[in-house]
Amino acid sequence: MFEAVAPCHFGLEAVLKKEIIDLGYDIHKVEDGRVTFLCDEEGIARANIFLRTCERVLLKVGEFKATTFDELFEQTKALDWEAYIPENGKFWVKKASSVNSKLFSPSDIQRIVKKAIVEKLKLKYQKEWFEETGAEYPLRVFIHKDQVLLTIDTSGESLHKRGYRAIASKAPISETLAAALIMLTPWNKERILVDPFCGSGTFAIEAALMAANIAPGINRDFLCQEWNNLFTKKCWYEAIDEANDLVNLDIVTDIQGYDIDGDVIKVARHNAKVAGVDKLIHFQQRPVKDLSHPKKYGFIITNPPYGERLEDKKNLPDLYKTFGERYRMLDSWSAFMITSYEDAQKYFGGKATKNRKIYNGMIKTYFYQYMGPKPR
């Protein structure tokens, strides 16, 4: 059994927790920006392939308190690294982060942890020098209030890189964040979904992947597939077979993406085709002033502009005002938008039913939720 650590966007831990429970695994701990759960080798494979909202899947090696570099060295050395890293394994500390702790220099933390692991493996493998010609085992170290968490990254490339978005529009929303925000709404594949500021199509594509039951990691590789000391090929074959068996493209959807920029719409169509869901989405060049739909009880889920550049900010009041006016002309619809624009509610034309604070990287954003009536 492993303790797996799944990082996610701050504010979306509950969404990831539900995903992990739905996969069939027990939650060990929920903290700011990550969820820890218990699983076997098959669970590591399934988590990488099926989880839509986590950034990567990490193996927890150990956790302890350290306020000096001597303590960090000795307690790191005391862990059973030989259970994870083989004699020829290539390992390094890919990233170290420290918050509110006495040990705060990432480069020093990386150096000390690497040195401690080398000393431990020297004792276990009775060697003075390691070739490091085998599979890669990148480590990630987190220190928060002097509590040290040591992990090994099983994913490699971040899980938001599904493989369909080689081309992105400016200021794109990440795939994992888009999936999590959709999951925060009552939308399902039977309901209409429109993104009037679709950009490279991420909201529409993530919704279509959910509708067709396509696992987000079905078409990509993961670093730990090369870890023959910890995982069998069988667990990966079975997880991929499970994912393929669940795919259902024989469905009818009403998912639409609009953008004022025709070149951006071409990018969105290309991305949807690479993702295998282009038949499930209708993309169209259309400004927000022309937002309309003949049916009732639809959903708007979107990431409108919020003035990344100073010269764009002057256009925001009119843009949000127009967006709000067009929304109110849609009978019985609900609207959900993520934005860092502080005056979004003011110009959209009303206070949101719910408002959730979410960190998109280092940017503080708000997920405004305007709930329409439920269909009869």
Side-chain angles (χ1 to χ4, degrees):
M1 294 294 290
F2 297 107
E3 267 190 72
V5 180
C8 64
H9 284 271
F10 283 93
L12 296 173
E13 297 83 3
V15 182
L16 176 55
K17 177 184 174 183
K18 183 179 185 304
E19 266 204 288
I20 293 167
I21 291 170
D22 289 346
L23 262 189
Y25 301 109
D26 292 330
I27 302 296
H28 176 65
K29 193 190 301 183
V30 179
E31 303 165 274
D32 286 345
R34 63 175 178 247
V35 179
T36 303
F37 63 101
L38 307 175
C39 67
D40 54 10
E41 63 167 349
E42 184 184 80
I44 297 295
R46 294 180 73 232
N48 272 298
I49 291 168
F50 285 99
L51 290 179
R52 298 183 189 276
T53 64
C54 83
E55 297 302 308
R56 54 185 72 247
V57 179
L58 309 172
L59 289 186
K60 177 181 170 182
V61 179
E63 192 170 10
F64 51 81
K65 185 174 182 179
T67 57
T68 68
F69 283 118
D70 283 344
E71 288 178 344
L72 178 65
F73 179 88
E74 293 300 335
Q75 294 194 75
T76 299
K77 184 180 173 184
L79 296 172
D80 297 327
W81 291 102
E82 70 279 5
Y84 298 91
I85 302 173
E87 195 171 330
N88 69 341
K90 180 180 180 180
F91 63 96
W92 71 102
V93 182
K94 175 97 174 181
K95 186 175 181 181
S97 64
S98 176
V99 179
N100 297 333
S101 301
K102 291 183 174 64
L103 302 178
F104 56 84
S105 167
S107 59
D108 288 333
I109 293 165
Q110 289 171 293
R111 178 176 54 81
I112 295 292
V113 169
K114 167 81 178 188
K115 184 179 178 183
I117 298 170
V118 169
E119 292 304 314
K120 178 59 175 282
L121 295 182
K122 279 182 181 180
L123 293 172
K124 289 297 178 178
Y125 293 128
Q126 296 295 298
K127 291 183 71 173
E128 283 300 312
W129 178 258
F130 296 96
E131 296 290 338
E132 298 194 44
T133 56
E136 297 182 347
Y137 297 78
L139 284 86
R140 288 178 176 258
V141 182
F142 306 90
I143 307 181
H144 181 245
K145 293 182 179 177
D146 300 323
Q147 196 70 17
V148 181
L149 173 65
L150 297 173
T151 68
I152 305 177
D153 182 10
T154 73
S155 303
E157 288 267 33
S158 172
L159 295 182
H160 82 267
K161 295 188 177 179
R162 320 282 207 217
Y164 67 75
R165 203 171 73 177
I167 310 171
S169 61
K170 60 183 179 182
I173 192 166
S174 80
E175 295 87 333
T176 46
L177 179 55
L181 295 178
I182 294 169
M183 290 179 182
L184 280 174
T185 78
W187 179 83
N188 63 65
K189 63 185 177 183
E190 310 296 330
R191 308 284 292 274
I192 304 156
L193 189 152
V194 172
D195 181 356
F197 304 97
C198 73
S200 52
T202 309
F203 272 123
I205 293 169
E206 288 297 318
L209 290 173
M210 292 179 198
N213 226 358
I214 299 174
I218 198 170
N219 290 320
R220 56 161 284 176
D221 296 322
F222 306 95
L223 189 63
C224 66
Q225 286 174 281
E226 304 301 317
W227 297 359
N228 297 326
N229 61 319
L230 291 174
F231 302 110
T232 62
K233 296 292 184 187
K234 182 186 175 188
C235 77
W236 288 99
Y237 294 145
E238 289 179 348
I240 289 292
D241 285 345
E242 179 189 359
N244 282 320
D245 289 344
L246 291 171
V247 174
N248 179 16
L249 288 167
D250 297 323
I251 55 172
V252 177
T253 59
D254 191 345
I255 301 172
Q256 302 184 31
Y258 309 144
D259 201 281
I260 195 170
D261 189 332
D263 290 334
V264 165
I265 288 295
K266 290 176 185 175
V267 168
R269 288 189 182 124
H270 171 82
N271 292 343
K273 189 170 185 178
V274 173
V277 292
D278 51 312
K279 301 289 193 296
L280 302 179
I281 308 170
H282 172 68
F283 287 112
Q284 183 182 357
Q285 182 179 0
R286 184 192 289 194
V288 71
K289 69 181 179 62
D290 295 335
L291 173 62
S292 63
H293 199 289
K295 296 180 183 176
K296 299 175 69 172
Y297 304 112
F299 284 77
I300 293 171
I301 305 178
T302 192
N303 175 35
Y306 37 86
E308 297 84 6
R309 298 175 304 179
L310 281 174
E311 60 265 32
D312 294 334
K313 286 190 181 296
K314 66 179 185 298
N315 300 321
L316 293 183
D318 285 345
L319 181 74
Y320 280 79
K321 184 180 178 184
T322 301
F323 180 24
E325 288 170 352
R326 298 308 299 180
Y327 163 63
R328 284 185 290 278
M329 294 179 72
L330 293 165
D331 188 15
S332 307
W333 279 50
S334 300
F336 303 83
M337 63 174 164
I338 180 170
T339 178
S340 68
Y341 183 43
E342 296 286 348
D343 290 327
Q345 291 182 103
K346 173 184 172 183
Y347 290 109
F348 190 74
K351 190 175 179 182
T353 313
K354 290 182 181 177
N355 176 12
R356 196 183 191 107
K357 183 163 60 175
I358 294 166
Y359 280 88
N360 184 5
M362 298 304 292
I363 302 172
K364 182 172 71 172
T365 62
Y366 298 93
F367 189 48
Y368 296 108
Q369 304 166 61
Y370 293 84
M371 299 297 298
K374 292 180 181 179
R376 284 183 282 177

